[in-house]
Each structure stands twice: as structure tokens, then as C-alpha cells.
Amino acid sequence: MSNQTSIQAILVCQGAEYKAVCRGLSRVTGCTPSVIPIPVGTKTNSIYLPNSQDIKKILNHPQPRVLVMGLCGSLKPKYRVGDVVLYKDCVYQENTGNTLVQKCDATFTASLQEYLQDKISVVRALTSDRIIWLKSEKRLLGQTLDTDVVDMEGFAVLEFFKSTGVTVAMVRVVSDGCDGNIPNLNLALSHDGSLQPLSFAIAMLKQPIAATRLIRGSLRGLQVLEQVTTFLFQ
């Protein structure tokens, strides 16, 4: 990417997504941005981001750019497992039913769109406080909130950076389509945004068909995430 040197950091969820991005960058020669692992979830990031030493280093940089990467779920049949999406904005629905919107930086997003061209779709994302695992709920949220994909961090990241002078863009890969259920992993998600191994295993065993679907989708999504990272920075 011609302006890769202007991207100071990639923010990506800890665990498999972080490893996939690091593998993608390992194939790139020359200067690459730092990769900062962030926790899963809106509330965890609202605590983590203001207190992270890595984030404080970004804020001290003149005219910093941050790229958020990772996986997401589809809310509309148009977006399938393995599709790369570029966010224009993130929607968050409060408990009161009030809907908030945070926009990604338009210029930064346009430069990524120009570079990736036919490899991506520009989407509106929903950021959720919990894992959306039922296909019926995925499609309902897509329709009622006019959103295309879902994640658990995007809105919190945009909200944190909005008054700091940091420009943010988001590139994600669909790992879960809206045509089927995945296991309900909400009880396996701990307060710090990590998955509890025993609870995760139990949830997967309870729903073997959904678990197989989740594993296949995740593996495909991670493979594409690795590839698009290399492509962006080579």
C-alpha cells in the first residue's frame, strides 16, 4: 500500500485474529505498523483503550492513523464467509433503544477503497455487547437497523479516538454468515474479553452442527484476514 508508512498501528482482537494479522505482516518486507491486541467487547475496550500504554504512544504521534482489523459476522445474505468489508460507520444501540452512530474517517477509508477496489464491499456495521448467534436475530438486526455486518469492538474504538486527532479506518473479514446459527458463546466470554476454555468447550459440544459451522467459518475468515493484511502492506 502506497501510504502504509502513515499507518502507525493495527488494532485487532487478541488471540487467533491477532496471530493471523501478525502472520500476514511477517510476509511483508520493509516498514510495517505495530500490531496492538485489544480485548473482545465494547465495555472491555472502553476500559482498556484509555489505559493502554501502546495506545498512549499512538496519541503522541503527529497525525496518527489507526487501522482496525479482524473478523465479523454477516447480517445480510449478500455478505458471505470470506468476504472482505470496509466500514463506513458503526451503529450502537443503547439499552434505552437509542441508536448512536460513529463514522470512520472518510479520507482514510476512501484511500483503502481505492487500493482494495473489487476485493471489498463498503458496509455499515453494528457493534453489539454480546455475540449474535441465532440466524433469525442476525437477519432481524440487519433489517431493523439497516446494518450489514456485526462486531463487538468497532463503535467503542471510534468513540474513544473521535476527539484525539487519530484517524481510524476498519477492514474486517466475514467469518459467520447469516444463513445459520453458531453456538451461544456468551456465557464463555469473561469480563476481560477473553474466552473461558471450559465454558467454550461445553457450548461447542452442546451444539455440534453449529460448532462445525463456526470452526469452518473462522478458519476461512482467518485465512483471508492473513492474506488481506499481506496485500495491504506489501
Side-chain angles (χ1 to χ4, degrees), residues 67-139:
L67 180 63
V68 179
M69 300 188 77
L71 303 178
C72 63
S74 170
L75 298 177
K76 289 180 179 169
K78 179 181 175 182
Y79 305 102
R80 299 176 176 274
V81 171
D83 286 356
V84 183
V85 294
L86 176 66
Y87 287 16
K88 59 182 175 183
D89 52 22
C90 282
V91 174
Y92 178 74
Q93 192 169 43
E94 295 180 307
N95 293 334
T96 57
N98 189 32
T99 302
L100 307 174
V101 180
Q102 290 286 354
K103 294 182 181 297
C104 294
D105 182 77
T107 306
F108 188 7
T109 300
S111 71
L112 289 166
Q113 186 178 5
E114 186 181 1
Y115 185 76
L116 290 162
Q117 292 188 0
D118 58 347
K119 289 182 171 62
I120 52 105
S121 300
V122 179
V123 298
R124 163 166 274 199
L126 168 68
T127 296
S128 173
D129 288 325
R130 58 193 174 79
I131 296 165
I132 309 299
W133 59 283
L134 283 170
K135 67 176 181 180
S136 56
E137 189 178 12
K138 294 175 201 175
R139 296 202 176 197

Side-chain angles (χ1 to χ4, degrees), residues 6-166:
S6 66
I7 297 175
Q8 276 64 58
I10 298 171
L11 267 56
V12 57
C13 280
Q14 60 198 7
E17 293 167 73
Y18 171 78
K19 289 174 185 173
V21 167
C22 289
R23 282 196 302 272
L25 282 181
S26 71
R27 299 196 182 91
V28 178
T29 53
C31 183
T32 57
S34 59
V35 187
I36 302 173
I38 61 172
V40 175
T42 306
K43 292 186 175 73
T44 46
N45 275 293
S46 63
I47 297 165
Y48 169 80
L49 294 170
N51 296 297
S52 164
Q53 292 303 314
D54 290 323
I55 300 296
K56 285 172 184 173
K57 286 177 191 172
I58 295 169
L59 298 178
N60 291 329
H61 198 284
Q63 296 182 313
R65 281 179 159 193
V66 167
L67 180 63
V68 179
M69 300 188 77
L71 303 178
C72 63
S74 170
L75 298 177
K76 289 180 179 169
K78 179 181 175 182
Y79 305 102
R80 299 176 176 274
V81 171
D83 286 356
V84 183
V85 294
L86 176 66
Y87 287 16
K88 59 182 175 183
D89 52 22
C90 282
V91 174
Y92 178 74
Q93 192 169 43
E94 295 180 307
N95 293 334
T96 57
N98 189 32
T99 302
L100 307 174
V101 180
Q102 290 286 354
K103 294 182 181 297
C104 294
D105 182 77
T107 306
F108 188 7
T109 300
S111 71
L112 289 166
Q113 186 178 5
E114 186 181 1
Y115 185 76
L116 290 162
Q117 292 188 0
D118 58 347
K119 289 182 171 62
I120 52 105
S121 300
V122 179
V123 298
R124 163 166 274 199
L126 168 68
T127 296
S128 173
D129 288 325
R130 58 193 174 79
I131 296 165
I132 309 299
W133 59 283
L134 283 170
K135 67 176 181 180
S136 56
E137 189 178 12
K138 294 175 201 175
R139 296 202 176 197
L140 182 65
L141 287 168
Q143 289 167 1
T144 55
L145 296 174
D146 191 25
T147 46
D148 305 305
V149 298
V150 60
D151 69 30
M152 296 181 71
E153 303 80 30
F155 183 89
V157 173
L158 289 172
E159 189 171 50
F160 171 75
F161 282 120
K162 71 177 178 182
S163 58
T164 63
V166 177

